[in-house]
């Protein structure tokens, strides 16, 4: 059956009879399963040209309060297929497994080779290891049209991932319409050109790049995600990575240090010294932004709001009389504490509105705000420190799950970045570091889950995004969903064997993953300079 991610328990019936799905198959959807019924009719209805009309027997969907949240049972017999989920999400994850049982043709949008599918007789019991099974897509560095985001939501659902973190703002672009500040998108959503490659690369295209999501686009994305039991976590990055906003509203920058009116939306990459001014007017401006963000991302869909906090160089604050006056007035020790004050402000502001702040692990520096959760990206250390201090953590160490990093050490990888992280490396990623596990369940529980992050400095098309993301996201999905043993004991050979069937599913979906033998000629980018890190990544 080659299911990915692997379920906890699979019992096959050796002489059991297959279930035949065809035009006569009915769908019996119990209370709370209507969304999954809609999804099944769309997916299987398209793939096999069947109606799945309401009726008894056939495919039966039920919520069963006796099961845990997100857990499901799937029973396939000759007469009926029953999915029982602990909640609506559990039923939906069961339906994803059902689709895999129906074969690769179930991943196409119209029938090829007949309007019938055979599902093997089987009994499955399944539940996720973590509640936060995330993927971050950087739509700021290269904008990805709305359709790409919706397609990725489908791909996440197919892998039982349930969080999409959208990196919506950065130096190189602002991607979300904010009605009260129209220049954020009029000016901030596009740049005049783009540096091709990283660091030492001297190549620029002279091609304008841009795009943004209207508020209705965002509402559609959020609703589409919710229908698939995926939470969308918006990221508005402050106080660093903000040059697109400063280009639109120069008063947001450190105007007593540089002439911010000349700052363009950035066309290059890297850590950027042009950061927000730590003033009351900047805070008010971003409260205005966040008010609209909260309206677009309702609390029940997305309690967490990501405010970035990463890579904020402090030179301008050191040189700024205004920033220094602020430090003195607040009785702070240094610029790190000033950043902590900045983040703390939004922690309180979000908490007052029933939300939770999450930020990159730099928000630990200068003191972590009381309600904050941490995306631990520079390694495990930030996450461990945060968990010990009683904070929730999402593990996304760049040493393991940065999907912009190259998949192979050979010369053919397109614009090679970072360390070599193969499918097998990702398969052996462990979200709960030994130090925390040893300290017991109280700390282990602080690890909400993990996230694979895709930064797009070098990825200018959905094709390039597919290449970096797959097959590794499938390995990641199994890490966060399945009950795998310790990394060294994981059966990667077995996983790789199942990936043969899974690649056929990805082919049917039209995903341009990296082939096991290396990139197709058209997936290479000969001559474009990347940014390598050599050797095995240090585990920190
Ligand atoms: C670090 S991860 C960044 C990003 C870059 C990424 C490239 C993080 C919070 N900041 O701005 O895109 O490295 O790998």
């Amino acid at each position: 059956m080659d299911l990915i991610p692997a379920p906890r328990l699979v019992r096959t019936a050796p002489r059991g009879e297959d279930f035949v799905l065809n035009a006569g198959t009915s769908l019996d959807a119990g209370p709370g399963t209507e969304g999954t019924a809609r999804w099944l009719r769309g997916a299987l209805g398209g793939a096999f040209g069947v109606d799945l009309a309401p009726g008894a027997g056939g495919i039966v969907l039920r919520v069963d309060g006796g099961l845990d949240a997100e857990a499901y049972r799937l029973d396939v017999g000759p007469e009926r297929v029953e999915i029982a989920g602990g909640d609506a999400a559990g039923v939906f994850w069961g339906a994803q497994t059902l689709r895999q049982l129906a074969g690769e043709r179930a991943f196409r949008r119209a029938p090829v080779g007949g309007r019938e599918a055979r599902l093997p007789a089987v009994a499955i019991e399944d539940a996720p290891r973590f509640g936060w099974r995330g993927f971050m897509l950087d739509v700021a560095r290269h904008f990805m049209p709305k359709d790409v985001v919706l397609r990725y939501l489908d791909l996440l659902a197919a892998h039982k991932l349930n969080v999409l973190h959208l990196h919506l703002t950065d130096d190189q672009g602002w991607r979300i319409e904010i009605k009260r500040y129209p220049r954020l998108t009029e000016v901030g959503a596009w740049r005049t050109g783009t540096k091709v490659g990283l660091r030492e690369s001297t190549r620029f295209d002279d091609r304008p790049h841009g795009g943004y999501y209207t508020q209705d686009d965002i509402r559609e994305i959020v609703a589409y995600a919710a229908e698939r039991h995926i939470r969308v976590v918006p990221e508005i990055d402050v106080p660093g990575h903000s040059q697109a906003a400063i280009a639109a509203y120069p008063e947001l920058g450190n105007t007593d240090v540089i002439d911010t009116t000349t700052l363009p939306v950035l066309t290059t990459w890297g850590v950027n010294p042009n950061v927000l001014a730590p003033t009351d007017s900047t805070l008010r401006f971003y409260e205005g932004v966040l008010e609209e963000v909260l309206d677009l991302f309702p609390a029940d869909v997305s309690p967490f709001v990501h405010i970035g906090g990463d890579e904020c160089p402090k030179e301008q604050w050191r040189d700024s009389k205004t920033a220094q006056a602020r430090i003195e007035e607040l009785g702070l020790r240094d610029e790190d504490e000033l950043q902590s004050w900045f983040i703390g402000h939004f922690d309180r502001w979000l908490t007052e509105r029933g939300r939770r702040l999450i930020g990159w692990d730099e928000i630990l520096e200068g003191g972590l705000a009381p309600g904050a959760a941490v995306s631990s990206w520079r390694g495990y250390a930030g996450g461990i420190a945060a968990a010990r201090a009683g904070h929730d953590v999402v593990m996304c160490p760049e040493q393991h799950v940065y999907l912009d990093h190259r998949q192979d050490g050979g010369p053919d990888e397109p614009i090679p970045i970072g360390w070599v992280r193969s499918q097998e490396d990702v398969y052996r990623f462990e979200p709960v570091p030994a130090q925390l596990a040893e300290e017991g369940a109280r700390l282990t529980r602080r690890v909400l889950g993990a996230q694979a992050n895709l930064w797009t400095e070098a990825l200018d098309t959905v094709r390039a995004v597919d290449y970096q993301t797959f097959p590794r996201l499938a390995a990641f999905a199994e890490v966060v969903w399945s009950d795998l043993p310790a990394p060294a004991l994981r059966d990667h050979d077995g996983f790789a064997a199942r990936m043969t069937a899974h690649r056929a599913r990805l082919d049917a979906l039209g995903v341009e993953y990296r082939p096991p033998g290396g990139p197709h000629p058209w997936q290479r980018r000969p001559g474009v300079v990347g940014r390598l890190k050599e050797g095995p990544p240090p585990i920190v």
Side-chain angles (χ1 to χ4, degrees), residues 138 141 170 241 310-311 360 362 377 398 402 404-405 455 457 531:
D138 170 13
R141 269 53 178 275
D170 214 300
H241 287 286
D310 58 315
E311 298 180 327
W360 302 109
E362 285 94 334
W377 77 274
E398 61 170 345
Y402 265 35
D404 51 327
H405 287 203
W455 300 97
E457 288 95 332
R531 169 178 57 92

mmCIF file with all atom_site columns, all heavy atoms in Angstrom, residues 138 141 170 241 310-311 360 362 377 398 402 404-405 455 457 531, ligand 1:
data_model
loop_
_atom_site.group_PDB
_atom_site.id
_atom_site.type_symbol
_atom_site.label_atom_id
_atom_site.label_alt_id
_atom_site.label_comp_id
_atom_site.label_asym_id
_atom_site.label_entity_id
_atom_site.label_seq_id
_atom_site.pdbx_PDB_ins_code
_atom_site.Cartn_x
_atom_site.Cartn_y
_atom_site.Cartn_z
_atom_site.occupancy
_atom_site.B_iso_or_equiv
_atom_site.pdbx_formal_charge
_atom_site.auth_seq_id
_atom_site.auth_comp_id
_atom_site.auth_asym_id
_atom_site.auth_atom_id
_atom_site.pdbx_PDB_model_num
ATOM   1   N N   . ASP A 1 138 ? 8.157  31.086 1.786  1.00 0.00 ? 138 ASP A N   1
ATOM   2   C CA  . ASP A 1 138 ? 8.588  32.484 1.726  1.00 0.00 ? 138 ASP A CA  1
ATOM   3   C C   . ASP A 1 138 ? 8.059  33.073 0.414  1.00 0.00 ? 138 ASP A C   1
ATOM   4   O O   . ASP A 1 138 ? 8.630  32.845 -0.653 1.00 0.00 ? 138 ASP A O   1
ATOM   5   C CB  . ASP A 1 138 ? 10.120 32.503 1.799  1.00 0.00 ? 138 ASP A CB  1
ATOM   6   C CG  . ASP A 1 138 ? 10.727 33.872 1.501  1.00 0.00 ? 138 ASP A CG  1
ATOM   7   O OD1 . ASP A 1 138 ? 9.988  34.867 1.467  1.00 0.00 ? 138 ASP A OD1 1
ATOM   8   O OD2 . ASP A 1 138 ? 11.968 33.920 1.320  1.00 0.00 ? 138 ASP A OD2 1
ATOM   9   N N   . ARG A 1 141 ? 10.363 36.907 -0.823 1.00 0.00 ? 141 ARG A N   1
ATOM   10  C CA  . ARG A 1 141 ? 11.553 37.025 -1.676 1.00 0.00 ? 141 ARG A CA  1
ATOM   11  C C   . ARG A 1 141 ? 11.165 36.828 -3.136 1.00 0.00 ? 141 ARG A C   1
ATOM   12  O O   . ARG A 1 141 ? 11.561 37.596 -4.005 1.00 0.00 ? 141 ARG A O   1
ATOM   13  C CB  . ARG A 1 141 ? 12.600 36.003 -1.264 1.00 0.00 ? 141 ARG A CB  1
ATOM   14  C CG  . ARG A 1 141 ? 13.588 36.493 -0.232 1.00 0.00 ? 141 ARG A CG  1
ATOM   15  C CD  . ARG A 1 141 ? 12.939 37.084 1.016  1.00 0.00 ? 141 ARG A CD  1
ATOM   16  N NE  . ARG A 1 141 ? 13.929 37.497 1.993  1.00 0.00 ? 141 ARG A NE  1
ATOM   17  C CZ  . ARG A 1 141 ? 14.473 36.680 2.892  1.00 0.00 ? 141 ARG A CZ  1
ATOM   18  N NH1 . ARG A 1 141 ? 14.065 35.411 2.981  1.00 0.00 ? 141 ARG A NH1 1
ATOM   19  N NH2 . ARG A 1 141 ? 15.384 37.132 3.722  1.00 0.00 ? 141 ARG A NH2 1
ATOM   20  N N   . ASP A 1 170 ? 9.173  41.098 3.835  1.00 0.00 ? 170 ASP A N   1
ATOM   21  C CA  . ASP A 1 170 ? 10.618 41.074 4.019  1.00 0.00 ? 170 ASP A CA  1
ATOM   22  C C   . ASP A 1 170 ? 11.201 42.298 3.328  1.00 0.00 ? 170 ASP A C   1
ATOM   23  O O   . ASP A 1 170 ? 10.457 43.149 2.807  1.00 0.00 ? 170 ASP A O   1
ATOM   24  C CB  . ASP A 1 170 ? 11.229 39.769 3.487  1.00 0.00 ? 170 ASP A CB  1
ATOM   25  C CG  . ASP A 1 170 ? 12.430 39.338 4.323  1.00 0.00 ? 170 ASP A CG  1
ATOM   26  O OD1 . ASP A 1 170 ? 13.409 40.114 4.393  1.00 0.00 ? 170 ASP A OD1 1
ATOM   27  O OD2 . ASP A 1 170 ? 12.402 38.244 4.907  1.00 0.00 ? 170 ASP A OD2 1
ATOM   28  N N   . HIS A 1 241 ? 14.358 42.905 8.571  1.00 0.00 ? 241 HIS A N   1
ATOM   29  C CA  . HIS A 1 241 ? 13.701 42.395 7.357  1.00 0.00 ? 241 HIS A CA  1
ATOM   30  C C   . HIS A 1 241 ? 12.483 43.231 6.972  1.00 0.00 ? 241 HIS A C   1
ATOM   31  O O   . HIS A 1 241 ? 11.441 42.700 6.614  1.00 0.00 ? 241 HIS A O   1
ATOM   32  C CB  . HIS A 1 241 ? 13.301 40.926 7.559  1.00 0.00 ? 241 HIS A CB  1
ATOM   33  C CG  . HIS A 1 241 ? 14.465 39.980 7.535  1.00 0.00 ? 241 HIS A CG  1
ATOM   34  N ND1 . HIS A 1 241 ? 15.122 39.627 6.376  1.00 0.00 ? 241 HIS A ND1 1
ATOM   35  C CD2 . HIS A 1 241 ? 15.097 39.328 8.537  1.00 0.00 ? 241 HIS A CD2 1
ATOM   36  C CE1 . HIS A 1 241 ? 16.102 38.788 6.668  1.00 0.00 ? 241 HIS A CE1 1
ATOM   37  N NE2 . HIS A 1 241 ? 16.123 38.593 7.970  1.00 0.00 ? 241 HIS A NE2 1
ATOM   38  N N   . ASP A 1 310 ? 13.805 38.028 13.613 1.00 0.00 ? 310 ASP A N   1
ATOM   39  C CA  . ASP A 1 310 ? 15.120 37.476 13.267 1.00 0.00 ? 310 ASP A CA  1
ATOM   40  C C   . ASP A 1 310 ? 16.026 38.550 12.667 1.00 0.00 ? 310 ASP A C   1
ATOM   41  O O   . ASP A 1 310 ? 15.558 39.537 12.104 1.00 0.00 ? 310 ASP A O   1
ATOM   42  C CB  . ASP A 1 310 ? 14.961 36.331 12.260 1.00 0.00 ? 310 ASP A CB  1
ATOM   43  C CG  . ASP A 1 310 ? 14.242 36.777 10.993 1.00 0.00 ? 310 ASP A CG  1
ATOM   44  O OD1 . ASP A 1 310 ? 13.222 37.472 11.107 1.00 0.00 ? 310 ASP A OD1 1
ATOM   45  O OD2 . ASP A 1 310 ? 14.711 36.448 9.889  1.00 0.00 ? 310 ASP A OD2 1
ATOM   46  N N   . GLU A 1 311 ? 17.313 38.296 12.779 1.00 0.00 ? 311 GLU A N   1
ATOM   47  C CA  . GLU A 1 311 ? 18.339 39.020 12.020 1.00 0.00 ? 311 GLU A CA  1
ATOM   48  C C   . GLU A 1 311 ? 18.093 40.531 11.975 1.00 0.00 ? 311 GLU A C   1
ATOM   49  O O   . GLU A 1 311 ? 17.943 41.113 10.906 1.00 0.00 ? 311 GLU A O   1
ATOM   50  C CB  . GLU A 1 311 ? 18.410 38.454 10.592 1.00 0.00 ? 311 GLU A CB  1
ATOM   51  C CG  . GLU A 1 311 ? 18.817 36.989 10.591 1.00 0.00 ? 311 GLU A CG  1
ATOM   52  C CD  . GLU A 1 311 ? 18.898 36.373 9.197  1.00 0.00 ? 311 GLU A CD  1
ATOM   53  O OE1 . GLU A 1 311 ? 18.107 36.773 8.305  1.00 0.00 ? 311 GLU A OE1 1
ATOM   54  O OE2 . GLU A 1 311 ? 19.736 35.486 9.005  1.00 0.00 ? 311 GLU A OE2 1
ATOM   55  N N   . TRP A 1 360 ? 10.962 34.101 15.604 1.00 0.00 ? 360 TRP A N   1
ATOM   56  C CA  . TRP A 1 360 ? 12.217 33.356 15.431 1.00 0.00 ? 360 TRP A CA  1
ATOM   57  C C   . TRP A 1 360 ? 13.035 33.421 16.727 1.00 0.00 ? 360 TRP A C   1
ATOM   58  O O   . TRP A 1 360 ? 12.829 34.321 17.536 1.00 0.00 ? 360 TRP A O   1
ATOM   59  C CB  . TRP A 1 360 ? 12.997 33.914 14.246 1.00 0.00 ? 360 TRP A CB  1
ATOM   60  C CG  . TRP A 1 360 ? 12.224 33.871 12.965 1.00 0.00 ? 360 TRP A CG  1
ATOM   61  C CD1 . TRP A 1 360 ? 11.698 34.942 12.292 1.00 0.00 ? 360 TRP A CD1 1
ATOM   62  C CD2 . TRP A 1 360 ? 11.866 32.704 12.198 1.00 0.00 ? 360 TRP A CD2 1
ATOM   63  N NE1 . TRP A 1 360 ? 11.036 34.516 11.165 1.00 0.00 ? 360 TRP A NE1 1
ATOM   64  C CE2 . TRP A 1 360 ? 11.126 33.147 11.082 1.00 0.00 ? 360 TRP A CE2 1
ATOM   65  C CE3 . TRP A 1 360 ? 12.094 31.338 12.347 1.00 0.00 ? 360 TRP A CE3 1
ATOM   66  C CZ2 . TRP A 1 360 ? 10.617 32.266 10.114 1.00 0.00 ? 360 TRP A CZ2 1
ATOM   67  C CZ3 . TRP A 1 360 ? 11.582 30.464 11.392 1.00 0.00 ? 360 TRP A CZ3 1
ATOM   68  C CH2 . TRP A 1 360 ? 10.861 30.930 10.293 1.00 0.00 ? 360 TRP A CH2 1
ATOM   69  N N   . GLU A 1 362 ? 15.690 34.527 17.805 1.00 0.00 ? 362 GLU A N   1
ATOM   70  C CA  . GLU A 1 362 ? 16.348 35.753 18.267 1.00 0.00 ? 362 GLU A CA  1
ATOM   71  C C   . GLU A 1 362 ? 15.501 36.490 19.307 1.00 0.00 ? 362 GLU A C   1
ATOM   72  O O   . GLU A 1 362 ? 16.022 37.324 20.045 1.00 0.00 ? 362 GLU A O   1
ATOM   73  C CB  . GLU A 1 362 ? 16.618 36.707 17.097 1.00 0.00 ? 362 GLU A CB  1
ATOM   74  C CG  . GLU A 1 362 ? 17.777 36.305 16.210 1.00 0.00 ? 362 GLU A CG  1
ATOM   75  C CD  . GLU A 1 362 ? 17.353 35.500 15.010 1.00 0.00 ? 362 GLU A CD  1
ATOM   76  O OE1 . GLU A 1 362 ? 16.306 34.827 15.079 1.00 0.00 ? 362 GLU A OE1 1
ATOM   77  O OE2 . GLU A 1 362 ? 18.073 35.544 13.990 1.00 0.00 ? 362 GLU A OE2 1
ATOM   78  N N   . TRP A 1 377 ? 15.200 28.123 14.895 1.00 0.00 ? 377 TRP A N   1
ATOM   79  C CA  . TRP A 1 377 ? 15.736 27.929 13.543 1.00 0.00 ? 377 TRP A CA  1
ATOM   80  C C   . TRP A 1 377 ? 17.246 27.831 13.493 1.00 0.00 ? 377 TRP A C   1
ATOM   81  O O   . TRP A 1 377 ? 17.810 27.202 12.602 1.00 0.00 ? 377 TRP A O   1
ATOM   82  C CB  . TRP A 1 377 ? 15.245 29.026 12.599 1.00 0.00 ? 377 TRP A CB  1
ATOM   83  C CG  . TRP A 1 377 ? 15.913 30.376 12.726 1.00 0.00 ? 377 TRP A CG  1
ATOM   84  C CD1 . TRP A 1 377 ? 15.576 31.370 13.581 1.00 0.00 ? 377 TRP A CD1 1
ATOM   85  C CD2 . TRP A 1 377 ? 17.015 30.874 11.939 1.00 0.00 ? 377 TRP A CD2 1
ATOM   86  N NE1 . TRP A 1 377 ? 16.393 32.458 13.401 1.00 0.00 ? 377 TRP A NE1 1
ATOM   87  C CE2 . TRP A 1 377 ? 17.293 32.186 12.402 1.00 0.00 ? 377 TRP A CE2 1
ATOM   88  C CE3 . TRP A 1 377 ? 17.784 30.351 10.905 1.00 0.00 ? 377 TRP A CE3 1
ATOM   89  C CZ2 . TRP A 1 377 ? 18.310 32.967 11.860 1.00 0.00 ? 377 TRP A CZ2 1
ATOM   90  C CZ3 . TRP A 1 377 ? 18.803 31.137 10.364 1.00 0.00 ? 377 TRP A CZ3 1
ATOM   91  C CH2 . TRP A 1 377 ? 19.051 32.421 10.840 1.00 0.00 ? 377 TRP A CH2 1
ATOM   92  N N   . GLU A 1 398 ? 17.778 24.988 11.049 1.00 0.00 ? 398 GLU A N   1
ATOM   93  C CA  . GLU A 1 398 ? 18.269 25.098 9.668  1.00 0.00 ? 398 GLU A CA  1
ATOM   94  C C   . GLU A 1 398 ? 19.224 23.963 9.329  1.00 0.00 ? 398 GLU A C   1
ATOM   95  O O   . GLU A 1 398 ? 19.395 23.617 8.164  1.00 0.00 ? 398 GLU A O   1
ATOM   96  C CB  . GLU A 1 398 ? 18.951 26.452 9.441  1.00 0.00 ? 398 GLU A CB  1
ATOM   97  C CG  . GLU A 1 398 ? 20.153 26.700 10.328 1.00 0.00 ? 398 GLU A CG  1
ATOM   98  C CD  . GLU A 1 398 ? 20.963 27.937 9.922  1.00 0.00 ? 398 GLU A CD  1
ATOM   99  O OE1 . GLU A 1 398 ? 20.772 28.448 8.812  1.00 0.00 ? 398 GLU A OE1 1
ATOM   100 O OE2 . GLU A 1 398 ? 21.789 28.376 10.738 1.00 0.00 ? 398 GLU A OE2 1
ATOM   101 N N   . TYR A 1 402 ? 15.816 23.054 6.547  1.00 0.00 ? 402 TYR A N   1
ATOM   102 C CA  . TYR A 1 402 ? 15.725 24.200 5.653  1.00 0.00 ? 402 TYR A CA  1
ATOM   103 C C   . TYR A 1 402 ? 15.750 23.669 4.220  1.00 0.00 ? 402 TYR A C   1
ATOM   104 O O   . TYR A 1 402 ? 16.788 23.249 3.718  1.00 0.00 ? 402 TYR A O   1
ATOM   105 C CB  . TYR A 1 402 ? 16.870 25.189 5.931  1.00 0.00 ? 402 TYR A CB  1
ATOM   106 C CG  . TYR A 1 402 ? 16.428 26.275 6.887  1.00 0.00 ? 402 TYR A CG  1
ATOM   107 C CD1 . TYR A 1 402 ? 15.526 25.964 7.904  1.00 0.00 ? 402 TYR A CD1 1
ATOM   108 C CD2 . TYR A 1 402 ? 16.849 27.595 6.759  1.00 0.00 ? 402 TYR A CD2 1
ATOM   109 C CE1 . TYR A 1 402 ? 15.072 26.946 8.774  1.00 0.00 ? 402 TYR A CE1 1
ATOM   110 C CE2 . TYR A 1 402 ? 16.392 28.580 7.631  1.00 0.00 ? 402 TYR A CE2 1
ATOM   111 C CZ  . TYR A 1 402 ? 15.511 28.244 8.635  1.00 0.00 ? 402 TYR A CZ  1
ATOM   112 O OH  . TYR A 1 402 ? 15.057 29.213 9.483  1.00 0.00 ? 402 TYR A OH  1
ATOM   113 N N   . ASP A 1 404 ? 15.522 25.118 1.480  1.00 0.00 ? 404 ASP A N   1
ATOM   114 C CA  . ASP A 1 404 ? 16.279 25.860 0.459  1.00 0.00 ? 404 ASP A CA  1
ATOM   115 C C   . ASP A 1 404 ? 17.698 25.303 0.359  1.00 0.00 ? 404 ASP A C   1
ATOM   116 O O   . ASP A 1 404 ? 18.381 25.504 -0.650 1.00 0.00 ? 404 ASP A O   1
ATOM   117 C CB  . ASP A 1 404 ? 16.298 27.372 0.738  1.00 0.00 ? 404 ASP A CB  1
ATOM   118 C CG  . ASP A 1 404 ? 16.718 27.744 2.156  1.00 0.00 ? 404 ASP A CG  1
ATOM   119 O OD1 . ASP A 1 404 ? 16.408 26.970 3.092  1.00 0.00 ? 404 ASP A OD1 1
ATOM   120 O OD2 . ASP A 1 404 ? 17.353 28.802 2.335  1.00 0.00 ? 404 ASP A OD2 1
ATOM   121 N N   . HIS A 1 405 ? 18.146 24.589 1.387  1.00 0.00 ? 405 HIS A N   1
ATOM   122 C CA  . HIS A 1 405 ? 19.484 23.986 1.324  1.00 0.00 ? 405 HIS A CA  1
ATOM   123 C C   . HIS A 1 405 ? 19.504 22.847 0.303  1.00 0.00 ? 405 HIS A C   1
ATOM   124 O O   . HIS A 1 405 ? 18.493 22.200 0.062  1.00 0.00 ? 405 HIS A O   1
ATOM   125 C CB  . HIS A 1 405 ? 19.888 23.480 2.710  1.00 0.00 ? 405 HIS A CB  1
ATOM   126 C CG  . HIS A 1 405 ? 20.229 24.603 3.655  1.00 0.00 ? 405 HIS A CG  1
ATOM   127 N ND1 . HIS A 1 405 ? 21.024 24.458 4.752  1.00 0.00 ? 405 HIS A ND1 1
ATOM   128 C CD2 . HIS A 1 405 ? 19.873 25.921 3.644  1.00 0.00 ? 405 HIS A CD2 1
ATOM   129 C CE1 . HIS A 1 405 ? 21.154 25.615 5.382  1.00 0.00 ? 405 HIS A CE1 1
ATOM   130 N NE2 . HIS A 1 405 ? 20.453 26.510 4.731  1.00 0.00 ? 405 HIS A NE2 1
ATOM   131 N N   . TRP A 1 455 ? 12.878 28.986 2.018  1.00 0.00 ? 455 TRP A N   1
ATOM   132 C CA  . TRP A 1 455 ? 13.196 30.383 1.684  1.00 0.00 ? 455 TRP A CA  1
ATOM   133 C C   . TRP A 1 455 ? 13.436 30.454 0.181  1.00 0.00 ? 455 TRP A C   1
ATOM   134 O O   . TRP A 1 455 ? 13.985 29.522 -0.415 1.00 0.00 ? 455 TRP A O   1
ATOM   135 C CB  . TRP A 1 455 ? 14.427 30.833 2.465  1.00 0.00 ? 455 TRP A CB  1
ATOM   136 C CG  . TRP A 1 455 ? 14.195 30.737 3.944  1.00 0.00 ? 455 TRP A CG  1
ATOM   137 C CD1 . TRP A 1 455 ? 14.562 29.722 4.775  1.00 0.00 ? 455 TRP A CD1 1
ATOM   138 C CD2 . TRP A 1 455 ? 13.477 31.667 4.753  1.00 0.00 ? 455 TRP A CD2 1
ATOM   139 N NE1 . TRP A 1 455 ? 14.127 29.976 6.060  1.00 0.00 ? 455 TRP A NE1 1
ATOM   140 C CE2 . TRP A 1 455 ? 13.463 31.166 6.071  1.00 0.00 ? 455 TRP A CE2 1
ATOM   141 C CE3 . TRP A 1 455 ? 12.839 32.895 4.494  1.00 0.00 ? 455 TRP A CE3 1
ATOM   142 C CZ2 . TRP A 1 455 ? 12.845 31.831 7.131  1.00 0.00 ? 455 TRP A CZ2 1
ATOM   143 C CZ3 . TRP A 1 455 ? 12.224 33.562 5.555  1.00 0.00 ? 455 TRP A CZ3 1
ATOM   144 C CH2 . TRP A 1 455 ? 12.231 33.035 6.854  1.00 0.00 ? 455 TRP A CH2 1
ATOM   145 N N   . GLU A 1 457 ? 14.985 32.959 -1.907 1.00 0.00 ? 457 GLU A N   1
ATOM   146 C CA  . GLU A 1 457 ? 15.917 33.861 -2.581 1.00 0.00 ? 457 GLU A CA  1
ATOM   147 C C   . GLU A 1 457 ? 16.297 33.318 -3.960 1.00 0.00 ? 457 GLU A C   1
ATOM   148 O O   . GLU A 1 457 ? 16.425 34.066 -4.927 1.00 0.00 ? 457 GLU A O   1
ATOM   149 C CB  . GLU A 1 457 ? 17.203 34.032 -1.768 1.00 0.00 ? 457 GLU A CB  1
ATOM   150 C CG  . GLU A 1 457 ? 17.067 34.861 -0.496 1.00 0.00 ? 457 GLU A CG  1
ATOM   151 C CD  . GLU A 1 457 ? 16.832 34.010 0.734  1.00 0.00 ? 457 GLU A CD  1
ATOM   152 O OE1 . GLU A 1 457 ? 16.247 32.897 0.600  1.00 0.00 ? 457 GLU A OE1 1
ATOM   153 O OE2 . GLU A 1 457 ? 17.209 34.444 1.836  1.00 0.00 ? 457 GLU A OE2 1
ATOM   154 N N   . ARG A 1 531 ? 25.482 29.671 -2.275 1.00 0.00 ? 531 ARG A N   1
ATOM   155 C CA  . ARG A 1 531 ? 26.172 30.007 -1.010 1.00 0.00 ? 531 ARG A CA  1
ATOM   156 C C   . ARG A 1 531 ? 26.280 28.705 -0.229 1.00 0.00 ? 531 ARG A C   1
ATOM   157 O O   . ARG A 1 531 ? 25.332 28.257 0.383  1.00 0.00 ? 531 ARG A O   1
ATOM   158 C CB  . ARG A 1 531 ? 25.344 31.027 -0.242 1.00 0.00 ? 531 ARG A CB  1
ATOM   159 C CG  . ARG A 1 531 ? 25.795 31.274 1.184  1.00 0.00 ? 531 ARG A CG  1
ATOM   160 C CD  . ARG A 1 531 ? 24.927 32.352 1.833  1.00 0.00 ? 531 ARG A CD  1
ATOM   161 N NE  . ARG A 1 531 ? 23.510 32.024 1.816  1.00 0.00 ? 531 ARG A NE  1
ATOM   162 C CZ  . ARG A 1 531 ? 22.870 31.385 2.801  1.00 0.00 ? 531 ARG A CZ  1
ATOM   163 N NH1 . ARG A 1 531 ? 23.508 31.014 3.883  1.00 0.00 ? 531 ARG A NH1 1
ATOM   164 N NH2 . ARG A 1 531 ? 21.583 31.136 2.705  1.00 0.00 ? 531 ARG A NH2 1
HETATM 165 C C1  . LIG B 2 .   ? 17.917 32.989 7.453  1.00 0.00 ? 1   LIG B C1  1
HETATM 166 S S1  . LIG B 2 .   ? 15.627 31.737 8.971  1.00 0.00 ? 1   LIG B S1  1
HETATM 167 C C2  . LIG B 2 .   ? 16.760 33.762 7.461  1.00 0.00 ? 1   LIG B C2  1
HETATM 168 C C3  . LIG B 2 .   ? 16.082 34.052 6.182  1.00 0.00 ? 1   LIG B C3  1
HETATM 169 C C4  . LIG B 2 .   ? 16.863 33.555 5.014  1.00 0.00 ? 1   LIG B C4  1
HETATM 170 C C5  . LIG B 2 .   ? 17.396 32.167 5.304  1.00 0.00 ? 1   LIG B C5  1
HETATM 171 C C6  . LIG B 2 .   ? 18.102 31.529 4.136  1.00 0.00 ? 1   LIG B C6  1
HETATM 172 C C7  . LIG B 2 .   ? 15.441 33.186 9.315  1.00 0.00 ? 1   LIG B C7  1
HETATM 173 C C8  . LIG B 2 .   ? 14.577 33.442 10.435 1.00 0.00 ? 1   LIG B C8  1
HETATM 174 N N1  . LIG B 2 .   ? 16.092 34.137 8.605  1.00 0.00 ? 1   LIG B N1  1
HETATM 175 O O1  . LIG B 2 .   ? 15.842 35.443 6.105  1.00 0.00 ? 1   LIG B O1  1
HETATM 176 O O2  . LIG B 2 .   ? 16.010 33.548 3.923  1.00 0.00 ? 1   LIG B O2  1
HETATM 177 O O3  . LIG B 2 .   ? 18.280 32.235 6.391  1.00 0.00 ? 1   LIG B O3  1
HETATM 178 O O4  . LIG B 2 .   ? 18.405 30.180 4.403  1.00 0.00 ? 1   LIG B O4  1
#
